[in-house]
Each structure stands twice: as structure tokens, then as C-alpha cells.
Amino acid sequence: MKNECIDCECVLRSSVNMKDCQIEMLDGHHAVVKFKKGDSIIKQGVFSTNVIYLRKGMAKIHIAGPSREQIVRLVKAPTYLGLPTTFGDKINQYSVTAVLDSEVCFIDLEVFKRLLGENKEFSSFILMELCKSELEAYRRCASRTQKQISGNLADVLLEFSENLFGADQFTLPLSQSDIGNWVDAGRESINRALSGFIQDGIIQMQGRQVMITDKKMLKMISQNG
Amino acid sequence: MKNECIDCECVLRSSVNMKDCQIEMLDGHHAVVKFKKGDSIIKQGVFSTNVIYLRKGMAKIHIAGPSREQIVRLVKAPTYLGLPTTFGDKINQYSVTAVLDSEVCFIDLEVFKRLLGENKEFSSFILMELCKSELEAYRRCASRTQKQISGNLADVLLEFSENLFGADQFTLPLSQSDIGNWVDAGRESINRALSGFIQDGIIQMQGRQVMITDKKMLKMISQNG
DNA sequence: TTTATTTTGTGAGATATGTCACATCTTTTT
DNA sequence: AAAAAGATGTGACATATCTCACAAAATAAA
């Protein structure tokens, strides 16, 4: 188990020069856990003293809204999760659920904080990540409310294709109902919009397998839809 | 001009032990500027090498959406602005416009970064701020889309009353049109909802002066509206 | 395999908001 | 002070989505 961290993307990913003693500190205070798709990784409202590093897989971040649970973001490994828990009361501020089989590293909060203090590169890396998240949140907010369903659905498909999977063919990790929840639309509306895309020859589907056949059109719809 | 920073909330606010040399560094690389309400403080798309500290006043953060400009947040002093500009290409990622007469401190980006690196307390303070922002963005996202107009309007009024002004009586710093833009509603709908509130004795208005007379009801509407 | 449970596919009607159209008022500019 | 620009009321109508209702598939559980 010793020196597991040295090879972990957790460290590499931050492209940070960790000192040996810092890596050892990590090694001594973490635990790697596997989650199957559908498993809950972080539960909103629960006390926690860990930062979570998603090593492999994909997860949805969802938060309790006034009337129902709402998906606010879909993330793929590698990435940190649960950072907002670090401040204040150590209560998880949102939930995270695996949407693909995933592997996760629990890092002790105190160790994480100490590392932030000791390693400038590391802390500036985390800072950048947070900036990007905030920006993304703003952008999505503006985008979602200004487009109608087909536009938002196009966005989702493009996000899968370009960011999450990096391929024109992929298997949807979310149900239509979840997609609807994510983009603020009803499940039925998503279904109809999806059917429309198939009809128009923009995508092909068999089960949850999606193949984008007319990406240009999809981008068109994403922009003016 | 020397040692202006020592008294500035900019430093106090971060409740950080700045070394004298660090404060001097700030002193040498900043500029205080006043903005009248309506003035643009940050323009999206423009190159910038400054972080901005809002010392006094209030401002709206807005971002270009696919079809129009969208207000994503309203902030009051004291707070930092434009942090996302720090990463990447130094292009402002959103716009900020004063909604009240404001006072702003432009801090050189490099100096700011150096400070982050040198002062752990400072960087962890900024980190916390970013975490909070991200969370707030998620919450608002979930909230806005799950409520209808009266609920969102109630939220806005409560936000003014509790967070922004800390009083039950205040002057709206935004036009109804802006409020609508902020909560994803048409100007007309906001107007009608506002009239409804007045009719129901929840608020009183004369011009943009608002007085909340039935806060309980307002909170009710905020929750189940 | 059989039985539950969760997803997906579609229709028809209800509705909260958006949109357009004007008529005041206010505030700013000239 | 006059003119121009912007902000606010308010009505009538159009419409994109939601909601409800059911049936068929697909998945998971027993």
C-alpha cells in the first residue's frame, strides 16, 4: 500500500511537484474505494471529514432543491469532489452518485488542508479548478434558461461526445428522466426531442447507444435552439 | 498613498495576518477607482491583468448567453471580482456593472498571485470564497428552475432584505426588467407578481422603495411557490 | 423463469409565461 | 423647459412545456 500515491493520477494530475514527505503523508491518510454505477459516493447533509478524488469513472452531482433533487453537473475522472465540505461545518453540501463504475480515493480533510498550505502549486491548481467550476456554473445557467429543450438536449449530447467521452459514439450513462432533470425539462419532452433528432437523421440510437451522425446540425441546434 | 492598504477592508476582510512587506507590495500595485451606478466595472471579453476588489457598493455579474446577456449574481462589497480571469488567457470571463455607486480597487494580477503563494491564510480565504460561490451557483440553479415566478421573486426580495441590505425597507437597485432577467422571467411577469404582492399586503412600494410588511408570508411563498 | 421495477414511447388537454401592443410615468439629455 | 429615452402598468393571445394516462420494453430481483 505504501507509495500508492506516487503513481496515482491524483498527484500527477495536479502537475505539482510534491515532496516525498508530502506524498507519504497522503499515502498514510487515504483509502481507495470502488463504487458500482448507481452507488452513492457523497450524501448531502452527512458529516464528512474527507475530500474525495474521483480516480476513475463518472458521477453526477445533485443537490436538494425546494421540491426535488436536481442534477447540476456531470463530472468524469480525474477530479476532486466535495471541496465545499472543507469549509464550515463539514457537512456535505451536495450529493454525488456514480453513473459509471468508479474508483474513488478518500483523503483526510486535515491532510488535504495541510497539503494546500504547504504546496503552493497544489493550492493554485485547486484554485484554478474552482474558478473553472464557478464559470461553468454561470455559463450553464445562462445557457439553459435561454434555450429550449432541443437546444439543451443538443448541448448535452455534445457534452457527452466532446468532453465526457471524447467520441461520436457512446452509451448514455443517464436515463432520459435524469437528462430531463439535468436540463430542466420533463422526461417526456426529452423523449420527444430525442425522437425528433433521430427522425431528422442527426443521431442514431439503439437502446442507450448513441451515434452522432450530423454533428454540424447538432451544433446549429445547440446555438440557435 | 502609502499604507493605504493597511486600513483597507481588503486586507482586514480576509482576516489574514499580512506581513508588512506584503502590504507594501499591495500598496505599490493597486489603484482605487470610483464608479457611478450603471458604470461598467468589468467587461467580458476584454484583456485584463487585474483582480478587482469591490470596497464599497453593489454590482451585478452578467454573462453573455446564447441570445442575450444574463445576470447571474448580485454582489455587495466587500468582495473580490474577476478571479476567473486569473487563469488562462487573462480575458474577462464575465461582465460586472455597478448597480450602486461603488468604489473599487484594482490589484495587479501578478501581485495578487504572489500574495496567494506567500500567504497561506490569504489563499485559503480565497479558496473558501470560491467554494461558497460555486455552492451558491448550484443552489440558485436548482431553486430557480423549480419555482415559479412568485417564488423566485420572493427569493429576490428576501435576498435584498436579508443579505444585501440587511433591512426590511430598501430601494431596489435593479429595474423590474433586470430582476426578470435575473430570475429568468419576463419584465411583465415580474411586474404582475409584484402587484400581486402589494395587493396581498405582503409588501408596500412607492417607486423603487420597498417595504416588506409580511415577511412570514414572503418566506412561505419562497418555499412553496 | 417469473415477477417486480424501472425505463421508454406517445397522445391529448391544461397552464404558466412569453410576446406584442399601448398608455402612462420618470428620469436623463439637450 | 422641451424632447428623448427608459421604466412601469395592464390587457389579450399564442405557445412551448408540463401533466396525466397508458402501453410496451427493458432491467433487475426473486
Side-chain angles (χ1 to χ4, degrees), chain A residues 148-149 184-186 188-189 192:
Chain A
Q148 41 200 60
I149 288 179
D184 311 317
E188 297 92 329
S189 303
R192 281 184 254 266

Side-chain angles (χ1 to χ4, degrees), chain B residues 148-149 184-189 192:
Chain B
Q148 39 202 61
I149 288 177
D184 311 318
R187 180 208 112 231
E188 296 91 331
S189 304
R192 280 185 255 263

Side-chain angles (χ1 to χ4, degrees), chain B residues 173-204:
Chain B
L174 294 181
S175 68
Q176 296 183 0
S177 165
D178 266 357
I179 294 176
N181 179 302
W182 191 17
V183 303
D184 311 318
R187 180 208 112 231
E188 296 91 331
S189 304
I190 293 295
N191 185 284
R192 280 185 255 263
L194 230 30
S195 301
F197 286 175
I198 295 171
Q199 215 90 68
D200 298 348
I202 298 170
I203 61 172
Q204 285 179 228

Side-chain angles (χ1 to χ4, degrees), chain B residues 29-95:
Chain B
H29 296 272
H30 79 163
V32 179
V33 181
K34 293 186 180 183
F35 288 89
K36 280 185 305 176
K37 107 175 154 171
D39 287 350
S40 167
I41 300 175
I42 296 180
K43 264 195 156 59
Q44 180 173 359
V46 169
F47 181 84
S48 163
T49 54
N50 288 109
V51 168
I52 285 161
Y53 184 74
L54 185 65
R55 290 160 57 125
K56 289 177 189 164
M58 193 178 290
K60 60 179 175 182
I61 298 179
H62 42 114
I63 191 166
S67 66
R68 57 194 151 79
E69 197 79 3
Q70 168 109 27
I71 299 173
V72 293
R73 201 175 165 204
L74 209 61
V75 296
K76 77 165 198 288
T79 185
Y80 285 92
L81 290 170
L83 291 180
T85 304
T86 53
F87 79 86
D89 48 14
K90 297 184 181 168
I91 303 290
N92 288 323
Q93 301 293 311
Y94 52 65
S95 300

Side-chain angles (χ1 to χ4, degrees), chain A residues 78 107 113 115 124 187:
Chain A
I107 302 165
K113 279 187 183 171
L115 223 55
S124 99
R187 180 210 111 228

